Amino acid sequence: MYKVTIENKVIETDENLSVDDLVKNNFTNIKPVAAKINGALVDMSEIINKDSSIELINSSDEQGLEIIRHTCAHVFGHAIKQLYPDTKMVIGPTIDNGFYYDIYAKESISEKDLASIESLMKKLAKKNYKIIREVVTKKRAQSVFRERKEDYKLKLIEDITDNEVIAIYHHEEYIDMCRGPHLTSTRELNYFKLMKISGSYWKGDSNNEQLQRIYGTAWDTKDNLKAYLHKLEEAEKRDHRKIGQKLDLFHFQEESPGMVFWHDNGWKIFNIVKDFITSYLRNYNYKIINTPQILDKSLWKKSGHLDKFSDLIFDVSSENKEYAIKPMSCPGHIQVYNQGLKSYRDLPLKFAEFGIVHRNEPSGTLHGLMRIRAFTQDDAHIFCTPGQIENEIKILIKTIYDIYKQFGFHEIKVELSTRPEKRVGSEEIWDKSEDALKKALDSSNIEWQLNNGDGAFYGPKIDFSLKDSLERVWQLGTIQLDFSMPTRLNANYVDENGDKVAPVMIHRAILGSLERFVGILIEEYAGDLPLWLSPTHVVVMNISENQEVHCQKLSKKLNNMGIISIPDLRNEKISYKIREHSMKRVPYLVVIGDKEVESNQISLRTRTGDDLGVMDVDKFVKMVETLVESKSVVLKN
RNA sequence: GCCACCUUAGCUCAGUUGGCCAGAGCAGGGGUUUUGUAAACCUCAGGUCGUCAGUUCGAAUCUGACAGGUGGCUCCA
C-alpha cells in the first residue's frame, strides 16, 4: 500500500499500479498525457512504487504539448519506415509549435510526398495502438538498433554515459529511442500536419553527410491546430518582401542578387531612420566620418580580414593593384584615428559612419532585406582606455534600448558571446573584458543569455536581436570589444606616463544594417508604419475639377509646413481614390469638395477608415506635428 | 554553398494526359463620365511562358545545364 497525493486527494494504492490505472480508477473526465511523480516527469504507464505526490500533465499544458509533439515525431518515424523501409532515423526533437525529424534516405523526399506520409500517420494514429516503454541496458539498445540497421541511433547511443537511463519505445513494429515521456497510446494524437522539408547535416556540420529534415506541427485540439495555421497565413501577409512590392518601396532583380533597388517611398523611410540615428550621434559626441569603399588588399591582410573572410570579400583590380570592396568599416576608421597623435585626454574618441559594406554571402543565405550582399551599417568605433570600457558599454546598452523603444520594439533578445577556441589576446585580457561586459549587462537590469564560445576572434561581444513576422530572429545591434585590430593597424595613444599604448576599440552598431532594420519595421507594423516613419503623411484629393487649384495650393502649403503631402487630382470618383490610397497605407486622406473650399477646411479620414470629420488646416497641422514628435503609433489625439 | 520546391503580361494567378493564333482580373493607353468617403462604364494594347540546349511531326507542358527566387541547413566580421 502506498499513500499517493493526487489532484488534492490522498489515495491509498495497491502495489504494481500505474499512474494511468490510478487515474482511471479514481477520476472521470480527465485524460492526462503524462505525470510528475515527486517532481520527476514520467509516462502514464509508470508504476507507482512508493508513497508519492503526483502532478498530472494535461495535453493543453506546455509540457503536455511537448509530449504530444514528441510522440508525433515517433509516429512519423513509424510511417516513414513503412513507406521507405531503408530509411535511417537520426534525431526527432520537438521545437516551437511542433517537431522535426532528420532522416537519412536514399530516396529524396519532396514536399509532394508529405501528403502520403501524413495520411499514413493519420491511419496509424487512428488505430489507437499502445505505445510501450521499455527501459533497457546500453547493450540491449545497441543490439536492437544494430538489428534495425539504425546506424545513427547507434552513434547516439555511444554518446550516452553508462549511468544514464536508456528507454526505447515500441510503436507496433517500429522502435525509437527516447528519454520520454510519451503518450501511452496514439489516442491523443489527432491534430498534426507535416509542414515542410529541408536539408540538414549530421551533427549540424556542413562537412558531414546531408540529411533530410521533415518539419511537422502537432496540437492538442483541432481549434489550436487551425489557429496556428491561420496565424502562419497572417504572418505571411506581413512579409516585408510582399509589402515592399505592394507599397512600392524597393525591388530586387537578378542582375544584382542580394542588393536592393530602393524606390522613392522606401528610400524615404530609410532616410528617416538614418536621420533619426544621426541626431542621436550628434547628441553623444560622435564624429561622423566617411571612408572609401575600396581599399588596397594589403590593408585587409594586415587587419586580418583577408585571411579569415576572403570568401566573403568582393575584389577588384586596377593597374596591377589588388583591391577589396570593404566588408566592414573598422580598418578605415583606424586610418582616421591614426591621423595625428592622440593623448589619453582625447579618449574616448568615437567615429561613426553609415558605412556601405559589401559581403559576398552564399546565395542560399540571402533573404529579402534581412540578409543581403550590400548594406548600410550604422557603424561606429569607440577608441578608449581599458578603464573606460564598462562605462561606455553601459551607455551603449541604455541607448540601444532607448532607441529600439522609440521604434516600438520591446522584445529584445540579448546575448553575451564569450571567447572562442580560435582567438587572439591573453587570457587576462579576455577575463577582464568578459567581466566588463557582464557587469555592464547586470547593472543595466535586462535579461540576457550567455552564448559560450561564440565571440569574435578579437574579443567578446553582446548582440541584440529582434524577430520578424515568422519569428525568425535577426541580429541588429552589436557591441564588440577588440584588442587586436588597433595593434595590428598601429593605433596608439600617449598615456599618463608618456608611453605609447594601443587603445581598446569597441565596435558597435545599434540598428546594425539599416536595410534589415527597415525590413523588420515593415513586418512589425505590417506596412502601417507609425506616422513619423511614413514616406507620405497625407494625400489631398479633390471631388471634382472645381477644387483642383485649391487642392494644389493646400498640398504645397502642407509641404511647406513640414507635412509630407501629395495631391491626387485625377479624374476619378472619390471612393476610388480613397480605396487606392488606403491600400497604399497613406496615413491621412484629405477630401476637398466645394464645401471645404468654401469654409477653408479639410475633411479628414485615416488609412484604417476612421472618419476624423471636418477641421481647420491649422488644427490638422498641429495634430500631425504632435504625433510625429511623439513618434506615436496612432493617428489621432 | 547544400537539400527540396518555384519561375506564364507591370502585379496576382488560370492553362487538364505535349496538339488550332497562350487566358482572366487588376494596373496601363484612348474615350465617355465631373463624381462626397474602400473599385463608374466602353474600348484598345500588352507575353519567344526565367535563359540556353535537347527529345518530338509538334514543347509553357518532357529531359538536362545554368540563372534568379522560396523554405530550411550551414554560415553570418
Side-chain angles (χ1 to χ4, degrees), chain A residues 517-531:
Chain A
F517 189 74
V518 170
I520 293 273
L521 272 177
I522 293 168
E523 300 207 353
E524 171 73 15
Y525 291 105
D528 278 5
L529 291 171
L531 195 56

Side-chain angles (χ1 to χ4, degrees), chain A residues 9-163:
Chain A
K9 280 167 95 171
V10 179
I11 298 170
E12 308 244 303
T13 73
D14 298 334
E15 300 199 0
N16 273 330
L17 200 68
S18 71
V19 184
D20 208 17
D21 295 334
L22 177 73
V23 170
K24 274 186 193 146
N25 296 345
N26 292 282
F27 303 96
T28 49
N29 292 333
I30 57 171
K31 287 185 185 171
V33 293
K36 272 185 183 169
I37 299 184
N38 300 327
L41 202 55
V42 296
D43 284 59
M44 288 301 285
S45 59
E46 187 80 6
I47 305 294
I48 301 160
N49 58 6
K50 58 180 167 220
D51 290 350
S52 309
S53 151
I54 296 181
E55 187 190 331
L56 297 173
I57 311 279
N58 294 305
S59 60
S60 57
D61 298 342
E62 205 171 304
Q63 277 173 323
L65 274 172
E66 207 176 314
I67 289 164
I68 286 174
R69 287 164 186 161
H70 230 127
T71 299
C72 196
H74 281 192
V75 173
F76 165 79
H78 192 177
I80 197 103
K81 292 287 271 194
Q82 287 191 5
L83 291 170
Y84 306 89
D86 293 334
T87 305
K88 296 185 192 306
M89 307 306 290
V90 186
I91 47 165
T94 58
I95 50 176
D96 284 352
N97 306 316
F99 63 92
Y100 68 74
Y101 218 125
D102 279 352
I103 60 171
Y104 179 85
K106 284 196 193 76
E107 303 85 351
S108 98
I109 315 281
S110 88
E111 242 148 80
K112 285 176 197 133
D113 302 320
L114 294 184
S116 57
I117 301 169
E118 187 180 305
S119 73
L120 179 54
M121 286 171 70
K122 293 234 159 91
K123 227 163 105 188
L124 291 170
K126 273 239 168 73
K127 288 162 88 172
N128 295 344
Y129 65 70
K130 281 246 175 305
I131 298 166
I132 297 157
R133 175 185 167 95
E134 182 190 355
V135 175
V136 294
T137 60
K138 193 164 172 176
K139 257 207 172 125
R140 159 112 170 102
Q142 279 166 329
S143 88
V144 166
F145 289 111
R146 195 172 302 125
E147 192 190 322
R148 297 177 62 82
K149 296 188 176 126
E150 293 286 11
D151 303 347
Y152 292 94
K153 295 291 177 193
L154 287 171
K155 289 187 197 180
L156 291 172
I157 293 170
E158 276 172 32
D159 293 340
I160 297 177
T161 56
D162 290 332
N163 49 9

Side-chain angles (χ1 to χ4, degrees), chain A residues 180-196:
Chain A
H182 275 273
L183 302 177
T184 48
S185 101
T186 56
R187 190 187 56 193
E188 292 94 349
L189 200 58
N190 297 304
Y191 311 109
F192 57 84
K193 186 173 162 52
L194 295 182
M195 302 295 287
K196 59 192 178 189

Side-chain angles (χ1 to χ4, degrees), chain A residues 190-208:
Chain A
N190 297 304
Y191 311 109
F192 57 84
K193 186 173 162 52
L194 295 182
M195 302 295 287
K196 59 192 178 189
I197 188 154
S198 92
S200 64
Y201 302 99
W202 167 240
K203 298 239 165 174
D205 186 338
S206 57
N207 296 312
N208 290 341

Side-chain angles (χ1 to χ4, degrees), chain A residues 148-280:
Chain A
R148 297 177 62 82
K149 296 188 176 126
E150 293 286 11
D151 303 347
Y152 292 94
K153 295 291 177 193
L154 287 171
K155 289 187 197 180
L156 291 172
I157 293 170
E158 276 172 32
D159 293 340
I160 297 177
T161 56
D162 290 332
N163 49 9
E164 267 180 276
V165 174
I166 300 179
I168 62 175
Y169 280 85
H170 296 263
H171 291 244
E172 296 189 321
E173 81 289 353
Y174 175 70
I175 300 175
D176 211 326
M177 178 174 70
C178 188
R179 220 169 264 119
H182 275 273
L183 302 177
T184 48
S185 101
T186 56
R187 190 187 56 193
E188 292 94 349
L189 200 58
N190 297 304
Y191 311 109
F192 57 84
K193 186 173 162 52
L194 295 182
M195 302 295 287
K196 59 192 178 189
I197 188 154
S198 92
S200 64
Y201 302 99
W202 167 240
K203 298 239 165 174
D205 186 338
S206 57
N207 296 312
N208 290 341
E209 60 270 40
Q210 180 99 39
L211 306 170
Q212 302 187 69
R213 175 173 296 179
I214 289 90
Y215 287 88
T217 186
W219 297 85
D220 56 328
T221 66
K222 194 176 184 176
D223 283 348
N224 283 345
L225 173 63
K226 260 169 103 176
Y228 172 68
L229 296 176
H230 181 70
K231 201 178 119 190
L232 280 185
E233 273 173 41
E234 290 301 307
E236 273 166 30
K237 288 184 196 156
R238 302 171 84 98
D239 189 318
H240 74 282
R241 293 163 299 189
K242 283 188 185 156
I243 292 174
Q245 183 179 58
K246 223 182 254 169
L247 302 191
D248 193 18
L249 304 179
F250 57 84
H251 85 270
F252 291 91
Q253 64 186 54
E254 59 178 282
E255 286 83 352
S256 190
M259 310 205 194
V260 198
F261 291 77
W262 282 106
H263 300 189
D264 180 52
N265 283 334
W267 195 237
K268 276 184 191 153
I269 300 169
F270 185 102
N271 279 302
I272 293 168
V273 171
K274 186 177 165 184
D275 291 345
F276 173 67
I277 294 297
T278 303
S279 68
Y280 150 79

